[in-house]
Amino acid sequence: MIVNFFRFIDRAFAWIVQFLLVAILIAMVAVTFSQVILRNFFQSGIDWAEVGSRHAVLWIAFLGAMLATRARQHLNIDAMTRLLPRRARNALRVFLDAFAAAICLLLAKAALTFVMEEYAMGGDLFLGIKEWMVQAIIPFGFAMMALEYCIGVVLDILRIFYPEIQRRQPMAEGGR
Amino acid sequence: MTWLVLIALILCAACGAPLFVFFGGLALLLFAMVGIDTSAVIIEMYRMASAPALVAIPLFTFAGYLMAESKTPERLVNLSRALFGWMPGGLAIVSLIACAFFTAFTGASGVTIIALGGLLYPILLKEKYSEKFSLGLLTTSGSIGLLFPPSLPLILYCIIARVNVDDLFLAGIVPGILLIVLISLYSIYTGATSKVEREPFSLQNIKKALLDAIFIVPLPIIILGGIYGGIFTASEAAAVTVVYVLIVELFIYRDLKMTTDVPRIAANSMILVGGVLIILGCALGLTNYIVDAEVPAKIIEFMRQHISSKFTFLIILNLCLLVVGCLMDIFSAIIVVVPLILPIAREFGVHPIHLGIIFLTNLEIGYSTPPVGLNLFIGSYRFKKTIPELCRASLPFLIVLLISLMIITYVPDISLWLVRLFRGSID
């Protein structure tokens, strides 16, 4: 069934994002830690360590936000939604997801313009990596978040007619 | 048209739209309004990659989550029980210290109540603390270590206010201890009047618990010693912490498994970090607009006409921040409100470091106040109690916290003397 196909894509994609996230985090720890050891014991260092980890944070921010979108764990003011009855809350969710998708799409468009300009300038960052390559995560991240919210809208509307479509289980229990 | 969109944005945020969507949308709208290409919003967002201190946030949070998921909470509770369990109200003090440690590392994201609340609540009840006292204590303890390094809100404030992280780390220590001491006094009083059970003092127990937790205890000393001994920066300290915690939990205690637990915890902790940083990114464009539009200058102008003394300013500041703390989560509040009040506070002679401590103490109180106090929601989920029940239970603790807030606000030296001691003079 088509829903199962989407579910497969969704899981595979979440797995890739998670894998990238963990890899970048571990790499950041390794590089920063080696920097401390090299400086204090060998009077040397990695000259791109700081630039590298600062940009790793940018990627972590967007990959983490993508996962947060998927798990609907973004920080928000949820006092109102807690007070609403279930049906009203579901209706509101469709509306808010559509709204979030629209804003994310606009941000993705703005980010694309930004990255295109940076691409034209072509600045080097470190180890031959160009600035625009690292910045590309911004439009990509926003586009993926917009897509995720769109899927949420479609599934929520489908659920009105086919109540048997299950709500996706959150990947794991987070802090919130 | 602009006004319509603005009202729609505010309505959506109030109804529970993600805050990054609100800030991002607002930034897009404001830039479009003055005719600047919206890609300027992204230029500001990209400034995220130029703040060296930001590196510390994912790393410290990761280390904190690793510890929270291991048996470290038990070890810490056992140790502080052996050390303080013999005092009247001793177990309450145990809870405070263990919670403070975890909040400092996990950034007051509710992990403390999840990791420690379930552990401490039955023990408190077993030793005849009243249900109301135990609930109130654990609910407010969820944010009690906020002022201690290396907490995430401290680092975030430094980035927004452009304050040296090392200075704010020092500044938070004494006010943080003050909060714990005052709540401890209240707990001792409760413990003494309600005749709770105490444990016998035993050097044997202390030795056993200390040996069990011997690898966790030195962690704060390694971090602070490394930073103030000039061995590494705050961000590098975060990487050292992760490596240290990984070695301890994977190879010494073997509480966690490398292939299953570590990736899961990493991804989980980065959901929180990503959520905070994306708000930061979206709000950077907004703050830039606010500064460009000279909003703070206009507020200063207005306040100069109505407020004359630093004292009145501090009272108003506290009142405003308490309202902010009731309505917003701490991360968004820091990102949005700090750029607004920083120039105003400077105008009234409040040092940015002192302002940071006032700000965070205020918001720490906001964690346990309705309608959006995160501690209340997580506590209600964890202890299976209703929100009004938890509100009533945390009320006495809120009063103690408010008294501490007054002291911290009106005696700047509590926040500043340790900085002066270690750093010489501060500007």
Side-chain angles (χ1 to χ4, degrees):
Chain A
M1 202 179 133
I2 188 95
V3 174
N4 282 333
F5 174 71
F6 274 124
R7 193 157 290 160
F8 171 74
I9 298 280
D10 167 70
R11 286 218 183 113
F13 192 71
W15 191 86
I16 294 169
V17 171
Q18 222 181 76
F19 177 81
L20 264 180
L21 198 51
V22 175
I24 291 174
L25 189 67
I26 299 289
M28 197 163 103
V29 172
V31 169
T32 313
F33 186 71
S34 328
Q35 174 83 333
V36 176
I37 300 292
L38 285 175
R39 191 182 55 233
N40 283 300
F41 296 104
F42 302 96
Q43 274 81 43
S44 77
I46 311 165
D47 50 359
W48 51 269
E50 216 229 305
V51 191
S53 43
R54 278 195 274 115
H55 285 82
V57 173
L58 186 75
W59 274 64
I60 285 177
F62 277 89
L63 295 172
M66 280 154 76
L67 285 186
T69 306
R70 183 174 181 271
R72 294 293 188 277
Q73 278 187 354
H74 274 292
L75 296 172
N76 61 351
I77 299 171
D78 49 5
M80 275 270 283
T81 34
R82 283 174 200 276
L83 299 175
L84 289 174
R86 212 178 67 90
R87 289 186 73 95
R89 200 161 53 199
N90 284 349
L92 185 66
R93 193 196 347 247
V94 176
F95 174 73
L96 288 180
D97 276 6
F99 172 74
I103 300 280
C104 283
L105 212 57
L106 285 174
L107 285 168
K109 191 176 148 277
L112 194 64
T113 318
F114 167 73
V115 174
M116 295 302 256
E117 277 165 18
E118 293 283 325
Y119 176 75
M121 290 201 279
D124 265 329
L125 213 52
F126 61 96
L127 300 179
I129 296 176
K130 301 268 185 214
E131 257 183 278
W132 68 269
M133 296 177 185
V134 179
Q135 293 160 346
I137 190 68
I138 305 178
F140 181 73
F142 279 127
M144 283 301 123
M145 283 188 259
L147 182 67
E148 178 65 50
Y149 282 120
C150 285
I151 293 174
V153 173
V154 172
L155 282 182
D156 270 343
I157 292 175
L158 275 180
R159 215 167 276 129
I160 298 172
F161 303 104
Y162 308 97
E164 69 273 14
I165 299 176
Q166 278 170 12
R167 212 168 277 290
R168 185 177 50 210
Q169 292 298 310
M171 198 164 36
E173 206 170 295
R176 270 169 68 88
Chain B
M1 179 61 195
T2 316
W3 285 104
L4 272 178
V5 180
L6 188 65
I7 291 165
L9 273 171
I10 293 171
L11 267 179
C12 285
C15 290
L19 282 169
F20 87 91
V21 168
F22 171 69
F23 293 131
L26 195 58
L28 287 176
L29 176 73
L30 291 172
F31 275 92
M33 212 172 72
V34 291
I36 301 172
D37 190 275
T38 49
S39 65
V41 177
I42 311 295
I43 297 179
E44 297 298 328
M45 196 178 289
Y46 182 58
R47 272 192 7 226
M48 234 183 353
S50 58
L54 215 53
V55 175
I57 289 181
L59 297 184
F60 274 130
T61 311
F62 179 40
Y65 270 65
L66 281 173
M67 283 193 284
E69 297 240 357
S70 71
K71 290 201 184 69
T72 302
E74 278 98 325
R75 288 181 223 282
L76 262 180
V77 169
N78 286 341
L79 176 62
S80 22
R81 236 178 135 174
L83 286 174
F84 300 103
W86 55 274
M87 289 166 72
L91 193 62
I93 300 174
V94 170
S95 315
L96 285 169
I97 292 173
C99 287
F101 180 90
F102 264 90
T103 309
F105 275 94
T106 53
S109 51
V111 176
T112 308
I113 297 180
I114 301 275
L116 282 161
L119 188 69
L120 287 164
Y121 185 54
I123 309 180
L124 281 165
L125 290 186
K126 210 175 85 194
E127 304 215 342
K128 306 276 185 317
Y129 284 88
S130 71
E131 190 183 87
K132 190 175 162 228
F133 176 84
S134 312
L135 284 175
L137 178 76
L138 292 176
T139 307
T140 37
S141 293
S143 54
I144 202 78
L146 211 70
L147 294 175
F148 291 117
S151 95
L152 202 159
L154 275 180
I155 303 172
L156 201 58
Y157 177 87
C158 292
I159 290 164
I160 301 289
R162 308 212 171 138
V163 174
N164 194 337
V165 182
D166 303 1
D167 289 350
L168 200 65
F169 273 7
L170 280 176
I173 294 175
V174 183
I177 293 174
L178 177 76
L179 290 182
I180 292 191
V181 167
L182 286 183
I183 297 191
S184 297
L185 287 178
Y186 171 68
S187 305
I188 291 174
Y189 169 77
T190 316
T193 48
S194 61
K195 302 220 166 33
V196 293
E197 284 171 24
R198 299 189 214 169
E199 288 173 31
F201 180 82
S202 134
L203 218 55
Q204 200 69 36
N205 275 350
I206 295 183
K207 211 173 131 193
K208 193 167 153 285
L210 188 64
L211 274 178
D212 193 39
I214 196 78
F215 292 103
I216 297 299
V217 176
L219 192 51
I221 303 162
I222 295 175
I223 295 174
L224 294 177
I227 296 176
Y228 299 105
I231 304 171
F232 39 63
T233 65
S235 304
E236 288 170 347
V240 173
T241 307
V242 172
V243 171
Y244 182 86
V245 169
L246 277 176
I247 291 173
V248 168
E249 302 294 359
L250 289 177
F251 303 115
I252 299 178
Y253 289 140
R254 296 170 192 239
D255 287 345
L256 300 174
K257 290 194 184 63
M258 175 128 65
T259 45
T260 52
D261 291 328
V262 174
R264 177 178 53 86
I265 297 169
N268 262 348
S269 55
M270 289 311 113
I271 286 184
L272 170 76
V273 170
V276 172
L277 292 184
I278 199 83
I279 294 180
L280 172 69
C282 288
L284 279 175
L286 193 63
T287 52
N288 192 50
Y289 177 87
I290 290 173
V291 173
D292 273 358
E294 297 186 326
V295 178
K298 283 168 193 158
I299 303 177
I300 291 175
E301 198 53 46
F302 174 80
M303 291 186 91
R304 248 206 221 114
Q305 288 165 1
H306 297 88
I307 304 166
S308 46
S309 73
K310 181 178 171 180
F311 192 74
T312 345
F313 167 72
L314 285 174
I315 292 176
I316 294 175
L317 178 72
N318 272 333
L319 290 175
C320 291
L321 286 179
L322 283 174
V323 175
V324 169
C326 288
L327 295 175
M328 272 173 139
D329 72 277
I330 191 163
F331 307 116
S332 325
I334 293 173
I335 295 165
V336 180
V337 182
V338 168
L340 277 176
I341 62 168
L342 194 66
I344 305 168
R346 198 173 278 140
E347 183 75 19
F348 283 97
V350 179
H351 194 278
I353 291 178
H354 184 212
L355 178 72
I357 302 298
I358 298 175
F359 198 95
L360 295 179
T361 314
N362 257 300
L363 292 179
E364 181 170 333
I365 295 173
Y367 260 92
S368 308
T369 54
V372 293
L374 187 60
N375 283 347
L376 294 174
F377 291 116
I378 294 174
S380 114
Y381 164 79
R382 193 81 182 105
F383 307 122
K384 309 267 179 291
K385 301 282 171 196
T386 62
I387 303 265
E389 241 176 306
L390 287 181
C391 285
R392 272 194 300 278
S394 29
L395 194 65
F397 294 92
L398 284 181
I399 294 170
V400 179
L401 285 176
L402 280 172
I403 295 170
S404 330
L405 173 67
M406 300 292 244
I407 301 173
I408 289 169
T409 308
Y410 301 108
V411 190
D413 284 337
I414 292 178
S415 315
L416 297 177
W417 82 269
L418 205 59
V419 188
R420 284 204 193 97
L421 192 70
F422 272 80
R423 304 244 135 193
S425 64
I426 46 171
D427 41 53

